[in-house]
Amino acid sequence: DGGEDVFINEAAYVQRLFDVRYGTCGRSLVLANNPASIDVLPLATHTNLRRALAGIAARMDATEDVLFVWIASHGGE
């Protein structure tokens, strides 16, 4: 259930961690299905994930860059 704050809290934590440790500030993206973030974060839908990954891939240097995808869920469909 995307309405459980645990998922958005974990995603925000991972984003902050990577921003600090790996300098990804301004180069990271969080998609979330939390009603509290609907006005500030894109929804984590198949379409948005596909578009985000395509946009990132178009800008990446495959010989230098690393893409990290972190997904949290209950594990259901």
Side-chain angles (χ1 to χ4, degrees), residues 7 11 14 16 18 20 29 32 39 43 46 57-58 60 62-64 67 70 72-76:
F7 297 114
V14 170
R16 284 191 307 273
F18 271 64
V20 170
L29 174 67
D39 292 331
L43 288 172
H46 288 104
M60 286 183 69
T63 62
E64 292 286 325
L67 173 65
W70 182 80
S73 78
H74 286 294

Side-chain angles (χ1 to χ4, degrees), residues 7 9 15 24 41 45 49 51 71:
F7 297 114
N9 291 341
Q15 185 180 37
T24 60
L41 294 175
T45 64
L49 180 58
R51 288 178 178 169
I71 298 173

Side-chain angles (χ1 to χ4, degrees), residues 15-73:
Q15 185 180 37
R16 284 191 307 273
L17 178 71
F18 271 64
D19 286 352
V20 170
R21 287 194 184 171
Y22 304 110
T24 60
C25 189
R27 298 181 297 122
S28 60
L29 174 67
V30 172
L31 305 176
N33 289 337
N34 188 305
S37 68
I38 196 81
D39 292 331
V40 294
L41 294 175
L43 288 172
T45 64
H46 288 104
T47 300
N48 283 350
L49 180 58
R50 188 178 318 108
R51 288 178 178 169
L53 291 174
I56 291 165
R59 292 169 180 82
M60 286 183 69
D61 177 347
T63 62
E64 292 286 325
D65 297 333
V66 174
L67 173 65
F68 177 81
V69 177
W70 182 80
I71 298 173
S73 78

